């Protein structure tokens, strides 16, 4: 009987195949649990591992996300509009995609500017102020790099007031206090860069039944690329 050799994928390759095969089956479009988070991970994978053939799949996912945006989607950072907008800026500013962020995210900005930030009590990353600050800072930076302007001045002044209030009260977690301080420096026009760190949104333990960035397979694929063990 002839000996047969069975090729076994390494763990990273296994996670990649699971991600690319099922990416379009995800029932959500957002950053944490949907197609946007997966798109960012696959973009990093394509660049790091020089897998040019998956570029078409990445472009398909991004087109699908942007074509399905609608005004009734929540503003949530985790799985709503601001997280998707943050992902758009991530792709443009890191050179994965071409485009003008303020044009692509125009409808997102309009919905966010309609909110009275001073009356928002939700300070969380997932659905409140902390997540919105991530988007606002990334978006303002992206607009500046492209010599454009993001948001109306009145909205940015309101954002500044909210950040000052958060620091004054000092009751928020360290992440929000740090973001608020950075936002104030950015809005004052100081040279304070906003850095994109995808890994900060990945949670442990992860579920092998989930595909998303936050606590799923694609998040673990990103961690493996970054040199973290599972």
């Amino acid at each position: 009987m002839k000996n047969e050799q069975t090729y076994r994928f390494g763990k990273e390759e296994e996670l990649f195949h699971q991600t690319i095969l099922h990416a379009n089956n995800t029932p959500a479009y957002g950053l944490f649990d949907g197609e946007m988070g997966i798109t960012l991970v696959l973009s990093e994978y394509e660049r790091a591992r020089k897998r040019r053939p998956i570029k078409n799949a990445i472009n398909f996912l991004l087109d699908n996300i942007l074509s399905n945006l609608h005004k009734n989607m929540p503003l949530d950072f985790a799985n709503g509009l601001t997280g998707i907008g943050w992902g758009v800026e991530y792709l443009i500013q890191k050179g994965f995609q071409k485009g003008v962020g303020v044009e692509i995210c125009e409808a997102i900005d309009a919905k966010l500017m309609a909110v009275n930030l001073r009356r928002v009590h939700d300070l969380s990353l997932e659905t409140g102020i902390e997540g919105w600050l991530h988007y606002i800072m990334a978006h303002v930076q992206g607009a500046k790099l492209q010599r454009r302007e993001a948001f109306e001045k009145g909205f940015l002044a309101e954002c500044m007031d909210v950040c000052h209030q958060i620091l004054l009260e000092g009751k928020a977690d360290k992440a929000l206090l740090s973001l608020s301080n950075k936002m104030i420096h950015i809005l004052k026009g100081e040279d304070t860069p906003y850095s994109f760190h995808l890994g900060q949104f990945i949670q442990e333990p992860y579920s092998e039944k989930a595909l998303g960035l936050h606590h799923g397979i694609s998040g673990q694929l990103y961690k493996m690329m970054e040199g973290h063990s599972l």
Side-chain angles (χ1 to χ4, degrees):
M1 186 174 179
K2 187 182 290 186
N3 290 330
E4 294 184 0
Q5 290 184 337
T6 302
Y7 177 75
R8 295 180 180 275
F9 288 129
K11 187 62 178 180
E12 181 183 295
E13 193 78 2
E14 179 185 328
L15 292 173
F16 163 69
H17 279 89
Q18 288 179 280
T19 301
I20 197 72
L21 285 173
H22 301 290
N24 197 41
N25 298 328
T26 307
Y29 301 106
L31 178 61
F32 279 20
D33 301 311
E35 290 185 8
M36 180 52 84
I38 295 168
T39 299
L40 302 187
V41 172
L42 289 177
S43 296
E44 292 284 2
Y45 187 87
E46 183 269 333
R47 176 178 287 175
R49 300 296 181 254
K50 305 185 187 307
R51 301 289 287 268
R52 291 291 299 172
I54 70 171
K55 189 68 175 179
N56 288 337
I58 293 168
N59 290 337
F60 176 83
L61 283 173
L62 183 59
D63 288 343
N64 190 51
I65 295 164
L66 297 180
S67 64
N68 281 284
L69 295 184
H70 57 82
K71 63 181 180 180
N72 293 325
M73 291 179 72
L75 280 167
D76 297 5
F77 187 74
N79 287 300
L81 292 171
T82 53
I84 291 173
W86 185 88
V88 168
E89 288 292 353
Y90 184 104
L91 291 169
I92 294 173
Q93 292 184 46
K94 296 194 75 174
F96 291 113
Q97 298 286 339
K98 294 181 179 180
V100 181
V102 293
E103 294 178 0
I104 296 172
C105 299
E106 184 177 6
I108 299 174
D109 297 348
K111 184 166 183 174
L112 184 56
M113 286 190 292
V115 176
N116 186 337
L117 296 181
R118 297 183 183 91
R119 295 186 177 182
V120 175
H121 300 291
D122 182 354
L123 300 180
S124 71
L125 169 67
E126 291 79 9
T127 59
I129 294 292
E130 184 175 334
W132 294 352
L133 290 185
H134 275 289
Y135 171 62
I136 294 167
M137 281 191 280
H139 200 39
V140 167
Q141 176 171 277
K144 184 177 180 181
L145 290 171
Q146 296 185 323
R147 298 183 179 179
R148 305 289 287 268
E149 290 188 3
F151 305 112
E152 296 173 358
K153 291 181 179 179
F155 175 79
L156 294 178
E158 184 179 336
C159 185
M160 175 87 84
D161 290 344
V162 169
C163 289
H164 276 300
Q165 189 62 35
I166 289 171
L167 293 174
L168 180 64
E169 294 179 356
K171 297 178 181 178
D173 61 28
K174 290 182 179 179
L176 180 52
L177 291 172
S178 177
L179 280 175
S180 297
N181 185 57
K182 183 182 286 289
M183 173 65 87
I184 290 169
H185 288 292
I186 288 174
L187 294 182
K188 285 182 177 179
E190 298 176 12
D191 188 16
T192 307
Y194 173 82
S195 299
F196 291 93
H197 297 300
L198 200 57
Q200 68 184 308
F201 304 131
I202 299 173
Q203 189 179 64
E204 294 284 3
Y206 84 102
S207 169
E208 294 184 351
K209 296 181 180 180
L211 201 65
L213 171 73
H214 191 48
H215 57 84
I217 291 169
S218 63
Q220 293 305 301
L221 174 60
Y222 180 80
K223 290 187 72 172
M224 289 207 77
M225 287 190 293
E226 291 293 287
H228 299 285
S229 60
L230 292 173

